[in-house]
């Protein structure tokens, strides 16, 4: 095993690495073949080019693999304090999974839920114990390896990850939590989350991806080979949600990477008849993040609420592509993305509503609001529609604005310092969204993190300072009366 | 020395001069009514005193307790006891009244890092809301969002009651209120005056004299075309109620023409013109 590991570290991204990984994990032959086929697809597909429509606003070279290792073990021993804190932040979840670097290190599930047939475990364990379920659903119907180069790479090199399976009719009221943590330099991780919610089942899942702040991920050195890029990390996650008839999922995806992580990922859901997904994507961390969030409304009566909250600061870059695809009649999608950018951060929202022929009596709503907090920050909004049905209700709108000076004056006239007033307006901007998520602890946590992002201003480091406007004084200006 | 001294205040918005040398002194314990037709500059004066950045002071000075008010940021003015009840309060989406009020009261009371303890705050809020007959549900709503005209005005007075200012400017608080609401608001303001025992002064800006039946002013001023043109006692308000602004307007036009021609200080009837 040590030999395989060394091989993996040296081989970087290669067919040999794929084979070594599969062998090391002791996988069934079909998964090895699946990985090798995906690797061939990866080699066959071209790298994204700046001219590709999906890549017009994000430089593809930000996702270089040079110096990145496709696998890194979780260090043995107790969790470091910073990670322990991340784990402890979740109070009494019904289940908790922790992936550290490329490996699952913790897996727990409420005994009652387990008795009722719920499976919540890392994907390798699931592959051994529920191989049939994985073989049928893993990158077969929802996300496929041949969609893009990075998806193929994920299919070839996935590790860690999680399976959440909720049997028909089972309802779990307490949230399940799945955490991913990077603290090895130069690692690339490929976590795969597969959620299968049976008929009329109900579950809440919170995923949280995080790594130490600062320019380097942690201090843990576990055998990085020469040539690795110090302090860079790469994440290529895929989330597949399969909602059977009448299934209800509430999903929160919390992204809190340190400032050295580049992420390119997708969250896609396929909803059968009367299924209901309520999702919230939160983007706080990372250096450059390109995420697709897609809902496929495949059965009549399906509903997808898609909320997004992004707050970029420093030089962060967020590129979000959303898809609301209506394939069946009487379906509803309701999307609201609120992005705030500060310092020299940039956000891109590109949203597509697609209504296929026959998807009549559809309601599709899309709204994107952006708040620009600094002169050097930028937010783009690109709504798209492809409507092939003729009996539907569809609205889309976007608005990008700077912070409203009249609002600030009102708050300041009551004694709030400017930075305090700005913070309050920003909190208010996000409140409309957070008020739609009935998870009190989570809301309080997000509120704190938003405050933290704003606090840089209050400290007067000047990065995101909004120029103060005061009345022009008589000494300064003497007009002819 | 008066607590608030406005000297030759000249203010413009973009390129239009709105205030053309306003003068006024006001001290705690006094209620000054400021009347005048629409567009005479009353609201501009109120906004400039609070530090609204959209108005530019081009000349003159304002001393607040002997210090240069115009050099202070709006929040500093507020923390030092100046308050304005806005004529048209803006709504702030996503910010609840209760969190806003608690932050504001904490700032006014000098809490630096922490906010005022929640229990103490709730007690104070409940008392003030009862006195002003304000629906408790209002505090969980977003600031002024979807408030009726009357609710907005009452919410402004609620803020005034919570912040306990030393000098309060009420900018047409009575406009758009039915008579019952005017009474409730006036009762609230009178209660504040009573409790302050001479430690609060009010500049009560109004277009109509109706509210002056409930809040008794010590002085009445009339503003016209960016200037204070008449000052007097409470009887001036009654006179205006009967004659309207037309009589003053005629007198004003007479002296305006003479000042234009001769550059002198003039007086015609009650109307005066002070040159500096």
């Amino acid at each position: 095993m040590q030999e395989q590991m060394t091989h993996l570290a040296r081989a970087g991204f290669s067919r040999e690495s794929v084979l070594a990984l599969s062998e090391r994990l002791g996988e069934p032959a079909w998964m090895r073949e699946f990985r090798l086929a995906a690797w061939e697809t990866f080699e066959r597909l071209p790298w994204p080019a700046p001219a590709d429509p999906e890549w017009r606003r994000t430089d593809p070279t930000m996702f270089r693999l040079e110096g990145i290792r496709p696998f890194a073990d979780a260090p043995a021993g107790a969790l470091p304090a910073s990670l322990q804190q991340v784990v402890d932040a979740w109070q009494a979840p019904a289940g908790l999974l922790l992936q550290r670097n490329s490996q699952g290190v913790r897996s727990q599930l409420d005994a009652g839920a387990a008795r009722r047939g719920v499976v919540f475990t890392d994907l390798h364990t699931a592959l051994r114990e529920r191989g049939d379920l994985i073989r049928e659903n893993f990158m077969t119907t929802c996300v496929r390896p041949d969609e893009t180069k990075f998806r193929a790479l994920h299919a070839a090199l996935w590790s860690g990850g999680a399976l959440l399976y909720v049997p028909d009719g089972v309802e779990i009221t307490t949230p399940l939590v799945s955490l991913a943590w990077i603290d090895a330099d130069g690692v690339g991780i490929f976590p795969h989350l597969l959620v299968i919610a049976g008929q009329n089942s109900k579950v809440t899942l919170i995923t949280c991806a995080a790594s130490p702040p600062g320019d380097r991920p942690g201090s843990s050195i576990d055998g990085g080979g020469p040539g690795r890029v110090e302090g860079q990390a790469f994440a290529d996650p895929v989330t597949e949600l399969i909602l059977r008839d009448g299934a209800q999922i509430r999903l929160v995806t919390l992204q809190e990477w340190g400032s050295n992580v580049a992420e390119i990922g997708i969250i896609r859901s396929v909803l059968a008849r009367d299924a209901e997904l309520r999702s919230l994507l939160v983007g706080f961390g990372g250096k450059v993040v390109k995420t697709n969030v897609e809902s496929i409304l495949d059965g009549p009566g399906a509903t997808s609420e898609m909320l997004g909250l992004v707050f970029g600061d420093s030089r962060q870059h967020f590129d979000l592509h959303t898809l609301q695809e209506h394939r069946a009649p009487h379906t509803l999608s309701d999307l609201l993305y609120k992005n705030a950018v500060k310092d020299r951060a940039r956000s891109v929202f590109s949203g597509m509503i697609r209504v296929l022929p026959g998807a009549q009596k559809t309601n599709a709503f899309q709204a994107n609001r952006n708040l620009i907090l600094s002169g050097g920050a930028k937010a783009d909004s690109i709504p798209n529609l492809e409507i092939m049905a003729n009996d539907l209700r569809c609205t889309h709108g976007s608005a990008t604005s700077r912070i409203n000076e009249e609002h600030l004056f009102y708050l300041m006239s009551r004694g709030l310092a400017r930075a305090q007033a700005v913070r309050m307006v920003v909190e208010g901007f996000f409140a409309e969204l957070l008020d739609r998520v009935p998870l009190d602890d989570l809301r309080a946590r997000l509120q704190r993190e938003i405050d933290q992002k704003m606090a840089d201003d209050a400290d007067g480091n000047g990065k995101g300072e909004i120029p103060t406007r005061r009345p022009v004084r008589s000494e300064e200006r003497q007009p002819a009366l | 020395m008066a607590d608030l001294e406005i000297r030759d205040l000249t203010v413009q918005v973009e390129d239009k001069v709105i205030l053309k040398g306003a003068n006024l002194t006001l001290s705690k314990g006094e209620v000054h009514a400021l009347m005048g037709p629409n567009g005479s500059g009353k609201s501009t004066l109120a906004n400039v005193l609070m530090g609204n950045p959209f108005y530019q002071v081009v000349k003159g000075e304002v001393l607040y307790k002997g210090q240069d008010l115009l050099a202070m940021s709006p929040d500093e003015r507020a923390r030092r006891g100046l308050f304005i009840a806005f004529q048209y309060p803006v709504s702030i989406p996503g910010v609840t009244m209760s969190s806003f009020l608690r932050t504001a009261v904490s700032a006014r009371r000098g809490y630096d890092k922490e906010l005022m303890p929640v229990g103490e705050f709730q007690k104070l809020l409940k008392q003030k809301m009862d006195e002003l007959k304000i629906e408790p549900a209002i505090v969980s709503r977003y600031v002024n969002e979807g408030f009726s005209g009357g609710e907005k005005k009452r919410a402004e007075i609620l803020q005034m009651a919570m912040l306990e200012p030393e000098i309060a400017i009420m900018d047409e608080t009575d406009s758009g209120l039915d008579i019952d609401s005017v009474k409730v608001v006036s009762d609230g303001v009178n209660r504040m005056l009573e409790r302050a025992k001479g430690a609060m002064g009010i500049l009560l800006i109004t277009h109509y004299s109706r509210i002056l039946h409930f809040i008794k002013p010590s002085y009445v001023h009339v503003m016209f075309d960016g200037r204070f043109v008449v000052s007097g006692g409470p009887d001036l308000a009654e006179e205006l109620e009967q004659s309207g602004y037309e009589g003053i307007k005629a007198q004003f036009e007479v002296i305006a023409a003479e000042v234009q021609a001769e550059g002198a200080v003039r007086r015609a009837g009650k109307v005066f013109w002070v040159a500096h």
Side-chain angles (χ1 to χ4, degrees):
Chain A
M1 170 164 152
Q2 188 55 45
E3 195 183 321
Q4 285 159 359
M5 201 48 238
T6 311
H7 190 65
L8 258 174
R10 291 226 182 97
F13 291 87
S14 65
R15 190 172 188 277
E16 288 67 43
S17 288
V18 175
L19 267 176
L21 179 65
S22 184
E23 210 157 302
R24 179 179 180 215
L25 296 166
E27 289 175 346
W30 73 263
M31 180 52 86
R32 188 178 61 237
E33 295 311 312
F34 177 90
R35 286 183 187 271
L36 288 172
W39 178 259
E40 273 166 35
T41 306
F42 169 75
E43 292 204 300
R44 180 169 45 82
L45 290 174
W47 287 99
D52 298 349
E54 277 246 341
W55 288 88
R56 225 167 264 165
R57 286 167 180 83
T58 299
D59 178 5
T61 64
M62 298 294 281
F63 298 98
R64 257 198 263 263
L65 298 175
E66 280 87 35
I68 300 286
R69 297 174 284 154
F71 190 93
D73 273 321
L79 302 181
S82 49
L83 175 53
Q84 190 62 50
Q85 241 174 16
V86 169
V87 174
D88 293 343
W90 304 99
Q91 308 225 320
L96 185 137
L97 292 179
L98 172 61
Q99 171 170 355
R100 186 173 180 194
N101 300 324
S102 305
Q103 290 185 311
V105 293
R106 191 172 290 189
S107 169
Q108 62 200 57
L109 176 64
D110 174 73
R115 258 200 315 277
R116 290 155 77 195
V118 173
V119 179
F120 188 50
T121 182
D122 77 85
L123 212 46
H124 303 293
T125 306
L127 196 52
R128 279 193 302 276
E129 294 173 359
R130 300 300 298 265
D132 51 332
L133 207 58
I134 306 293
R135 189 165 191 177
E136 187 189 331
N137 295 292
F138 181 86
M139 299 193 86
T140 52
T141 51
C142 185
V143 175
R144 295 179 51 86
D146 57 1
E147 290 172 5
T148 72
K149 196 159 181 83
F150 287 107
R151 230 133 283 159
L153 186 66
H154 174 96
L157 286 164
W158 70 270
S159 63
L163 168 71
L164 170 59
Y165 170 72
V166 188
D168 292 353
V170 172
E171 295 189 7
I172 305 292
T173 47
T174 318
L176 297 159
V177 175
S178 172
L179 307 173
W181 175 262
I182 297 181
D183 59 0
D185 286 340
V187 68
I189 66 163
F190 303 87
H192 191 101
L193 174 60
L194 175 61
V195 180
I196 302 164
Q199 289 183 15
N200 301 311
S201 65
K202 191 171 178 182
V203 69
T204 295
L205 175 64
I206 300 173
T207 76
C208 175
S211 63
D215 295 331
R216 299 162 39 91
S219 52
S220 149
I221 303 297
D222 61 338
R228 71 196 159 87
V229 176
E230 180 103 339
Q232 296 299 306
F234 172 78
D236 180 0
V238 170
T239 297
E240 300 183 274
L241 305 169
I242 296 164
L243 292 86
R244 310 271 193 234
D245 291 358
Q248 291 179 40
I249 296 180
R250 178 173 293 280
L251 173 74
V252 178
T253 309
L254 191 51
Q255 189 275 99
E256 301 178 340
W257 293 126
S259 56
N260 54 333
V261 180
E263 177 184 301
I264 178 159
I266 182 166
I267 301 165
R268 186 182 290 153
S269 53
V270 178
L271 291 86
R273 176 183 289 268
D274 298 325
E276 185 181 298
L277 173 66
R278 303 203 172 266
S279 69
L280 168 67
L281 174 86
V282 179
F284 284 149
K287 181 175 68 179
V288 52
V289 175
K290 187 164 164 54
T291 304
N292 284 56
V293 184
E294 306 185 351
S295 270
I296 313 296
L297 299 144
D298 206 31
T303 294
S304 179
E305 177 188 57
M306 302 164 75
L307 303 177
L309 184 170
V310 167
F311 195 154
D313 65 1
S314 166
R315 286 176 169 271
Q316 286 184 302
H317 181 109
F318 290 92
D319 188 354
L320 302 163
H321 292 251
T322 64
L323 173 67
Q324 299 154 262
E325 184 165 299
H326 294 257
R327 293 185 182 167
H330 299 284
T331 46
L332 163 69
S333 66
D334 185 5
L335 178 146
L336 173 63
Y337 268 60
K338 290 204 156 196
N339 304 335
V341 278
K342 176 170 162 279
D343 306 329
R344 307 202 57 183
R346 180 164 188 206
S347 71
V348 178
F349 169 84
S350 177
M352 166 72 83
I353 295 178
R354 184 180 292 140
V355 183
L356 299 186
Q360 304 291 25
K361 308 282 183 198
T362 278
N363 285 307
F365 309 118
Q366 182 196 93
N368 169 228
R369 305 269 177 271
N370 302 308
L371 182 61
I372 296 178
L373 294 165
S374 314
K378 196 176 170 206
D380 292 334
S381 185
I382 308 127
N384 293 291
L385 299 174
E386 283 179 19
I387 309 290
M388 290 160 270
N390 57 13
D391 181 11
L392 53 97
R393 216 150 53 102
C394 174
T395 64
H396 66 117
S398 81
T400 298
S401 59
R402 297 189 176 275
I403 205 150
N404 186 322
E405 285 289 333
E406 286 181 49
H407 292 173
L408 291 186
F409 172 59
Y410 187 80
L411 296 174
M412 288 173 75
S413 78
R414 302 309 188 224
L416 278 70
R418 189 175 177 91
Q420 215 175 1
V422 169
R423 209 153 57 226
M424 195 159 251
V425 170
V426 172
E427 280 181 22
F429 173 73
F430 287 126
E432 188 195 349
L433 200 138
L434 295 179
D435 285 353
R436 286 168 66 171
V437 182
L439 301 166
D440 291 342
D441 289 353
L442 180 83
R443 225 166 33 206
R445 174 191 174 132
L446 297 180
Q447 203 73 69
R448 279 197 303 278
E449 290 178 34
I450 290 165
D451 281 351
Q452 190 57 48
K453 283 247 183 192
M454 292 305 299
D456 291 345
D457 272 348
D459 293 339
N461 65 10
K463 275 197 302 182
E465 194 84 41
I466 298 166
T468 306
R469 284 172 60 197
R470 283 189 179 176
V472 180
R473 301 296 320 280
S474 49
E475 304 85 60
E476 293 157 18
R477 188 161 174 188
Q478 284 282 6
L481 288 177
Chain B
M1 184 178 48
D3 293 302
L4 185 69
E5 292 189 43
I6 303 168
R7 294 181 187 155
D8 191 25
L9 192 62
T10 304
V11 173
Q12 66 179 32
V13 179
E14 286 159 1
D15 287 331
K16 193 167 189 283
V17 180
I18 311 281
L19 280 188
K20 301 172 179 173
N23 293 276
L24 180 74
T25 58
L26 188 156
S27 282
K28 284 188 271 194
E30 300 171 355
V31 175
H32 291 241
L34 174 56
M35 306 182 68
N38 287 329
S40 55
K42 305 186 299 290
S43 276
T44 297
L45 178 67
N47 274 281
V48 167
L49 290 178
M50 204 65 233
N52 188 327
F54 297 98
Y55 297 82
Q56 295 164 357
V57 175
V58 292
K59 203 167 139 222
E61 63 179 350
V62 181
L63 296 180
Y64 178 61
K65 295 194 258 185
Q67 290 187 306
D68 182 1
L69 182 75
L70 301 181
M72 299 175 201
S73 59
D75 51 311
E76 194 180 347
R77 299 177 198 203
R79 289 195 299 270
R80 287 181 185 222
L82 196 65
F83 180 87
I84 176 171
F86 288 101
Q87 183 180 6
Y88 303 112
V90 294
S91 56
I92 303 182
V95 177
T96 60
M97 280 298 284
S98 62
S99 98
F100 163 57
L101 282 171
R102 187 165 166 223
T103 313
V105 175
S106 301
R108 169 76 174 119
R109 297 194 171 195
Y111 287 87
D112 193 20
K113 295 268 179 263
E114 304 277 302
L115 291 180
M116 180 181 185
V118 68
E120 194 186 330
F121 167 74
Q122 295 287 6
K123 203 176 138 198
L124 180 71
L125 182 60
K126 186 177 182 313
Q127 180 205 338
K128 303 295 183 192
M129 291 210 300
D130 287 349
E131 286 176 7
L132 289 164
K133 300 190 169 63
I134 290 175
E135 281 293 312
I138 209 168
V139 297
S140 49
R141 289 165 65 187
Y142 296 153
V143 176
N144 293 324
E145 189 143 287
F147 286 21
S148 69
E151 281 175 328
K152 279 186 191 171
K153 297 297 176 76
R154 282 191 204 199
E156 291 292 292
I157 299 307
L158 172 65
Q159 293 174 46
M160 179 170 157
M162 295 289 287
L163 294 172
E164 297 178 341
E166 292 170 55
I167 301 288
I169 305 154
M170 295 170 58
D171 190 3
E172 304 216 9
T173 302
D174 55 331
S175 308
L177 290 186
D178 59 34
I179 190 69
D180 291 337
S181 300
V182 172
K183 277 183 196 157
V184 171
V185 164
S186 304
D187 285 351
V189 172
N190 286 328
R191 208 175 293 119
M192 284 179 229
L193 282 167
E194 209 171 290
R195 282 200 192 123
K197 294 189 177 69
M200 180 169 80
I202 293 180
L203 180 61
L204 182 62
I205 297 173
T206 179
H207 185 76
Y208 311 100
S209 51
R210 185 179 57 166
I211 194 169
L212 304 180
H213 295 300
F214 303 101
I215 302 173
K216 294 292 177 197
S218 3
Y219 303 95
V220 176
H221 312 275
V222 178
M223 218 175 179
F224 222 93
D225 192 28
R227 293 181 180 87
F228 285 81
V229 295
V230 187
S231 288
D235 51 321
L236 180 57
E238 282 163 36
E239 198 181 316
L240 280 169
E241 194 169 19
Q242 281 157 23
S243 65
Y245 293 112
E246 284 309 309
I248 287 177
K249 189 170 177 233
Q251 294 169 7
F252 176 76
E253 277 161 3
V254 170
I255 56 168
E258 289 184 16
V259 168
Q260 186 106 37
E262 299 167 31
V265 179
R266 292 286 161 169
R267 180 177 274 274
K270 279 184 180 292
V271 176
F272 52 84
W273 184 300
V274 185
H276 289 267

